mmCIF file with all atom_site columns, all heavy atoms in Angstrom:
data_model
loop_
_atom_site.group_PDB
_atom_site.id
_atom_site.type_symbol
_atom_site.label_atom_id
_atom_site.label_alt_id
_atom_site.label_comp_id
_atom_site.label_asym_id
_atom_site.label_entity_id
_atom_site.label_seq_id
_atom_site.pdbx_PDB_ins_code
_atom_site.Cartn_x
_atom_site.Cartn_y
_atom_site.Cartn_z
_atom_site.occupancy
_atom_site.B_iso_or_equiv
_atom_site.pdbx_formal_charge
_atom_site.auth_seq_id
_atom_site.auth_comp_id
_atom_site.auth_asym_id
_atom_site.auth_atom_id
_atom_site.pdbx_PDB_model_num
ATOM   1   N  N   . CYS C 1 5   ? 3.933   -1.621 5.414  1.00 98.00 ? 5   CYS C N   1
ATOM   2   C  CA  . CYS C 1 5   ? 3.019   -0.605 4.877  1.00 98.00 ? 5   CYS C CA  1
ATOM   3   C  C   . CYS C 1 5   ? 3.275   0.727  5.559  1.00 98.00 ? 5   CYS C C   1
ATOM   4   O  O   . CYS C 1 5   ? 3.459   0.795  6.773  1.00 98.00 ? 5   CYS C O   1
ATOM   5   C  CB  . CYS C 1 5   ? 1.570   -0.992 5.140  1.00 98.00 ? 5   CYS C CB  1
ATOM   6   S  SG  . CYS C 1 5   ? 1.083   -2.565 4.440  1.00 98.00 ? 5   CYS C SG  1
ATOM   7   N  N   . ILE C 1 6   ? 3.257   1.768  4.746  1.00 97.00 ? 6   ILE C N   1
ATOM   8   C  CA  . ILE C 1 6   ? 3.447   3.118  5.268  1.00 97.00 ? 6   ILE C CA  1
ATOM   9   C  C   . ILE C 1 6   ? 2.080   3.788  5.402  1.00 97.00 ? 6   ILE C C   1
ATOM   10  O  O   . ILE C 1 6   ? 1.259   3.726  4.489  1.00 97.00 ? 6   ILE C O   1
ATOM   11  C  CB  . ILE C 1 6   ? 4.331   3.952  4.299  1.00 97.00 ? 6   ILE C CB  1
ATOM   12  C  CG1 . ILE C 1 6   ? 5.633   3.208  3.981  1.00 97.00 ? 6   ILE C CG1 1
ATOM   13  C  CG2 . ILE C 1 6   ? 4.606   5.337  4.869  1.00 97.00 ? 6   ILE C CG2 1
ATOM   14  C  CD1 . ILE C 1 6   ? 6.501   2.890  5.170  1.00 97.00 ? 6   ILE C CD1 1
ATOM   15  N  N   . GLY C 1 7   ? 1.860   4.397  6.535  1.00 93.00 ? 7   GLY C N   1
ATOM   16  C  CA  . GLY C 1 7   ? 0.604   5.121  6.754  1.00 93.00 ? 7   GLY C CA  1
ATOM   17  C  C   . GLY C 1 7   ? 0.806   6.602  6.514  1.00 93.00 ? 7   GLY C C   1
ATOM   18  O  O   . GLY C 1 7   ? 1.903   7.125  6.703  1.00 93.00 ? 7   GLY C O   1
ATOM   19  N  N   . ARG C 1 8   ? -0.250  7.260  6.063  1.00 91.00 ? 8   ARG C N   1
ATOM   20  C  CA  . ARG C 1 8   ? -0.264  8.727  5.955  1.00 91.00 ? 8   ARG C CA  1
ATOM   21  C  C   . ARG C 1 8   ? 0.942   9.304  5.219  1.00 91.00 ? 8   ARG C C   1
ATOM   22  O  O   . ARG C 1 8   ? 1.638   10.182 5.732  1.00 91.00 ? 8   ARG C O   1
ATOM   23  C  CB  . ARG C 1 8   ? -0.313  9.339  7.355  1.00 91.00 ? 8   ARG C CB  1
ATOM   24  C  CG  . ARG C 1 8   ? -1.487  8.819  8.166  1.00 91.00 ? 8   ARG C CG  1
ATOM   25  C  CD  . ARG C 1 8   ? -1.409  9.240  9.615  1.00 91.00 ? 8   ARG C CD  1
ATOM   26  N  NE  . ARG C 1 8   ? -2.293  8.406  10.427 1.00 91.00 ? 8   ARG C NE  1
ATOM   27  C  CZ  . ARG C 1 8   ? -2.277  8.371  11.752 1.00 91.00 ? 8   ARG C CZ  1
ATOM   28  N  NH1 . ARG C 1 8   ? -1.445  9.117  12.429 1.00 91.00 ? 8   ARG C NH1 1
ATOM   29  N  NH2 . ARG C 1 8   ? -3.095  7.578  12.396 1.00 91.00 ? 8   ARG C NH2 1
ATOM   30  N  N   . HIS C 1 13  ? -4.505  12.663 1.995  1.00 84.00 ? 13  HIS C N   1
ATOM   31  C  CA  . HIS C 1 13  ? -5.111  11.481 2.625  1.00 84.00 ? 13  HIS C CA  1
ATOM   32  C  C   . HIS C 1 13  ? -5.039  11.578 4.143  1.00 84.00 ? 13  HIS C C   1
ATOM   33  O  O   . HIS C 1 13  ? -5.999  11.260 4.837  1.00 84.00 ? 13  HIS C O   1
ATOM   34  C  CB  . HIS C 1 13  ? -4.442  10.193 2.151  1.00 84.00 ? 13  HIS C CB  1
ATOM   35  C  CG  . HIS C 1 13  ? -4.873  8.992  2.942  1.00 84.00 ? 13  HIS C CG  1
ATOM   36  N  ND1 . HIS C 1 13  ? -6.182  8.538  2.940  1.00 84.00 ? 13  HIS C ND1 1
ATOM   37  C  CD2 . HIS C 1 13  ? -4.203  8.183  3.797  1.00 84.00 ? 13  HIS C CD2 1
ATOM   38  C  CE1 . HIS C 1 13  ? -6.285  7.486  3.745  1.00 84.00 ? 13  HIS C CE1 1
ATOM   39  N  NE2 . HIS C 1 13  ? -5.101  7.247  4.287  1.00 84.00 ? 13  HIS C NE2 1
ATOM   40  N  N   . PHE C 1 28  ? 3.533   -0.189 9.526  1.00 97.00 ? 28  PHE C N   1
ATOM   41  C  CA  . PHE C 1 28  ? 2.979   -1.382 10.171 1.00 97.00 ? 28  PHE C CA  1
ATOM   42  C  C   . PHE C 1 28  ? 3.191   -2.540 9.207  1.00 97.00 ? 28  PHE C C   1
ATOM   43  O  O   . PHE C 1 28  ? 3.623   -2.327 8.064  1.00 97.00 ? 28  PHE C O   1
ATOM   44  C  CB  . PHE C 1 28  ? 1.485   -1.195 10.504 1.00 97.00 ? 28  PHE C CB  1
ATOM   45  C  CG  . PHE C 1 28  ? 0.642   -0.816 9.317  1.00 97.00 ? 28  PHE C CG  1
ATOM   46  C  CD1 . PHE C 1 28  ? -0.020  -1.774 8.562  1.00 97.00 ? 28  PHE C CD1 1
ATOM   47  C  CD2 . PHE C 1 28  ? 0.511   0.519  8.937  1.00 97.00 ? 28  PHE C CD2 1
ATOM   48  C  CE1 . PHE C 1 28  ? -0.799  -1.420 7.465  1.00 97.00 ? 28  PHE C CE1 1
ATOM   49  C  CE2 . PHE C 1 28  ? -0.262  0.878  7.842  1.00 97.00 ? 28  PHE C CE2 1
ATOM   50  C  CZ  . PHE C 1 28  ? -0.919  -0.089 7.106  1.00 97.00 ? 28  PHE C CZ  1
ATOM   51  N  N   . GLU C 1 54  ? -7.487  1.118  -0.396 1.00 98.00 ? 54  GLU C N   1
ATOM   52  C  CA  . GLU C 1 54  ? -6.410  2.117  -0.412 1.00 98.00 ? 54  GLU C CA  1
ATOM   53  C  C   . GLU C 1 54  ? -5.441  1.642  -1.481 1.00 98.00 ? 54  GLU C C   1
ATOM   54  O  O   . GLU C 1 54  ? -4.755  0.647  -1.285 1.00 98.00 ? 54  GLU C O   1
ATOM   55  C  CB  . GLU C 1 54  ? -5.665  2.168  0.943  1.00 98.00 ? 54  GLU C CB  1
ATOM   56  C  CG  . GLU C 1 54  ? -6.522  2.581  2.124  1.00 98.00 ? 54  GLU C CG  1
ATOM   57  C  CD  . GLU C 1 54  ? -5.707  2.785  3.415  1.00 98.00 ? 54  GLU C CD  1
ATOM   58  O  OE1 . GLU C 1 54  ? -4.487  2.518  3.412  1.00 98.00 ? 54  GLU C OE1 1
ATOM   59  O  OE2 . GLU C 1 54  ? -6.317  3.206  4.418  1.00 98.00 ? 54  GLU C OE2 1
ATOM   60  N  N   . GLU C 1 56  ? -2.040  1.657  -3.579 1.00 98.00 ? 56  GLU C N   1
ATOM   61  C  CA  . GLU C 1 56  ? -0.687  2.088  -3.197 1.00 98.00 ? 56  GLU C CA  1
ATOM   62  C  C   . GLU C 1 56  ? 0.358   1.563  -4.189 1.00 98.00 ? 56  GLU C C   1
ATOM   63  O  O   . GLU C 1 56  ? 0.237   0.445  -4.686 1.00 98.00 ? 56  GLU C O   1
ATOM   64  C  CB  . GLU C 1 56  ? -0.345  1.562  -1.787 1.00 98.00 ? 56  GLU C CB  1
ATOM   65  C  CG  . GLU C 1 56  ? -1.485  1.844  -0.807 1.00 98.00 ? 56  GLU C CG  1
ATOM   66  C  CD  . GLU C 1 56  ? -1.107  1.817  0.668  1.00 98.00 ? 56  GLU C CD  1
ATOM   67  O  OE1 . GLU C 1 56  ? 0.071   1.593  0.978  1.00 98.00 ? 56  GLU C OE1 1
ATOM   68  O  OE2 . GLU C 1 56  ? -2.017  2.039  1.486  1.00 98.00 ? 56  GLU C OE2 1
ATOM   69  N  N   . ASP C 1 85  ? -4.277  -1.859 -0.067 1.00 98.00 ? 85  ASP C N   1
ATOM   70  C  CA  . ASP C 1 85  ? -4.212  -2.102 1.370  1.00 98.00 ? 85  ASP C CA  1
ATOM   71  C  C   . ASP C 1 85  ? -5.665  -2.055 1.866  1.00 98.00 ? 85  ASP C C   1
ATOM   72  O  O   . ASP C 1 85  ? -6.163  -0.993 2.224  1.00 98.00 ? 85  ASP C O   1
ATOM   73  C  CB  . ASP C 1 85  ? -3.338  -0.993 1.996  1.00 98.00 ? 85  ASP C CB  1
ATOM   74  C  CG  . ASP C 1 85  ? -3.461  -0.896 3.508  1.00 98.00 ? 85  ASP C CG  1
ATOM   75  O  OD1 . ASP C 1 85  ? -3.948  -1.846 4.130  1.00 98.00 ? 85  ASP C OD1 1
ATOM   76  O  OD2 . ASP C 1 85  ? -3.051  0.156  4.057  1.00 98.00 ? 85  ASP C OD2 1
ATOM   77  N  N   . THR C 1 87  ? -8.648  -2.239 4.274  1.00 98.00 ? 87  THR C N   1
ATOM   78  C  CA  . THR C 1 87  ? -8.698  -1.849 5.680  1.00 98.00 ? 87  THR C CA  1
ATOM   79  C  C   . THR C 1 87  ? -10.121 -1.953 6.202  1.00 98.00 ? 87  THR C C   1
ATOM   80  O  O   . THR C 1 87  ? -11.033 -1.369 5.604  1.00 98.00 ? 87  THR C O   1
ATOM   81  C  CB  . THR C 1 87  ? -8.216  -0.390 5.827  1.00 98.00 ? 87  THR C CB  1
ATOM   82  O  OG1 . THR C 1 87  ? -6.911  -0.274 5.251  1.00 98.00 ? 87  THR C OG1 1
ATOM   83  C  CG2 . THR C 1 87  ? -8.172  0.036  7.283  1.00 98.00 ? 87  THR C CG2 1
ATOM   84  N  N   . LYS C 1 106 ? -6.097  -4.830 9.258  1.00 98.00 ? 106 LYS C N   1
ATOM   85  C  CA  . LYS C 1 106 ? -5.328  -4.692 8.025  1.00 98.00 ? 106 LYS C CA  1
ATOM   86  C  C   . LYS C 1 106 ? -4.533  -5.937 7.643  1.00 98.00 ? 106 LYS C C   1
ATOM   87  O  O   . LYS C 1 106 ? -3.964  -6.006 6.565  1.00 98.00 ? 106 LYS C O   1
ATOM   88  C  CB  . LYS C 1 106 ? -4.345  -3.519 8.147  1.00 98.00 ? 106 LYS C CB  1
ATOM   89  C  CG  . LYS C 1 106 ? -5.000  -2.151 7.977  1.00 98.00 ? 106 LYS C CG  1
ATOM   90  C  CD  . LYS C 1 106 ? -3.976  -1.055 8.155  1.00 98.00 ? 106 LYS C CD  1
ATOM   91  C  CE  . LYS C 1 106 ? -4.482  0.332  7.797  1.00 98.00 ? 106 LYS C CE  1
ATOM   92  N  NZ  . LYS C 1 106 ? -4.529  0.627  6.350  1.00 98.00 ? 106 LYS C NZ  1
ATOM   93  N  N   . PHE C 1 174 ? 4.483   -1.229 0.808  1.00 98.00 ? 174 PHE C N   1
ATOM   94  C  CA  . PHE C 1 174 ? 3.304   -0.470 0.381  1.00 98.00 ? 174 PHE C CA  1
ATOM   95  C  C   . PHE C 1 174 ? 3.570   0.969  0.819  1.00 98.00 ? 174 PHE C C   1
ATOM   96  O  O   . PHE C 1 174 ? 3.731   1.228  2.007  1.00 98.00 ? 174 PHE C O   1
ATOM   97  C  CB  . PHE C 1 174 ? 2.039   -0.996 1.065  1.00 98.00 ? 174 PHE C CB  1
ATOM   98  C  CG  . PHE C 1 174 ? 1.374   -2.166 0.386  1.00 98.00 ? 174 PHE C CG  1
ATOM   99  C  CD1 . PHE C 1 174 ? 2.059   -3.353 0.161  1.00 98.00 ? 174 PHE C CD1 1
ATOM   100 C  CD2 . PHE C 1 174 ? 0.037   -2.100 0.006  1.00 98.00 ? 174 PHE C CD2 1
ATOM   101 C  CE1 . PHE C 1 174 ? 1.434   -4.437 -0.459 1.00 98.00 ? 174 PHE C CE1 1
ATOM   102 C  CE2 . PHE C 1 174 ? -0.602  -3.173 -0.608 1.00 98.00 ? 174 PHE C CE2 1
ATOM   103 C  CZ  . PHE C 1 174 ? 0.093   -4.341 -0.844 1.00 98.00 ? 174 PHE C CZ  1
ATOM   104 N  N   . GLY C 1 176 ? 1.948   3.846  0.886  1.00 97.00 ? 176 GLY C N   1
ATOM   105 C  CA  . GLY C 1 176 ? 0.949   4.798  1.357  1.00 97.00 ? 176 GLY C CA  1
ATOM   106 C  C   . GLY C 1 176 ? -0.056  5.130  0.268  1.00 97.00 ? 176 GLY C C   1
ATOM   107 O  O   . GLY C 1 176 ? 0.214   4.948  -0.919 1.00 97.00 ? 176 GLY C O   1
ATOM   108 N  N   . THR C 1 177 ? -1.211  5.590  0.696  1.00 96.00 ? 177 THR C N   1
ATOM   109 C  CA  . THR C 1 177 ? -2.298  5.826  -0.270 1.00 96.00 ? 177 THR C CA  1
ATOM   110 C  C   . THR C 1 177 ? -2.604  7.309  -0.434 1.00 96.00 ? 177 THR C C   1
ATOM   111 O  O   . THR C 1 177 ? -2.519  8.070  0.532  1.00 96.00 ? 177 THR C O   1
ATOM   112 C  CB  . THR C 1 177 ? -3.575  5.063  0.173  1.00 96.00 ? 177 THR C CB  1
ATOM   113 O  OG1 . THR C 1 177 ? -4.482  4.975  -0.931 1.00 96.00 ? 177 THR C OG1 1
ATOM   114 C  CG2 . THR C 1 177 ? -4.283  5.752  1.348  1.00 96.00 ? 177 THR C CG2 1
HETATM 115 ZN ZN1 . ZN  J 2 .   ? -2.442  2.050  3.411  1.00 86.36 ? 1   ZN  J ZN1 1
#
Side-chain angles (χ1 to χ4, degrees):
C5 301
I6 308 300
R8 305 170 197 168
H13 170 64
F28 55 94
E54 298 187 355
E56 312 200 1
D85 165 17
T87 304
K106 282 178 171 282
F174 275 58
T177 197

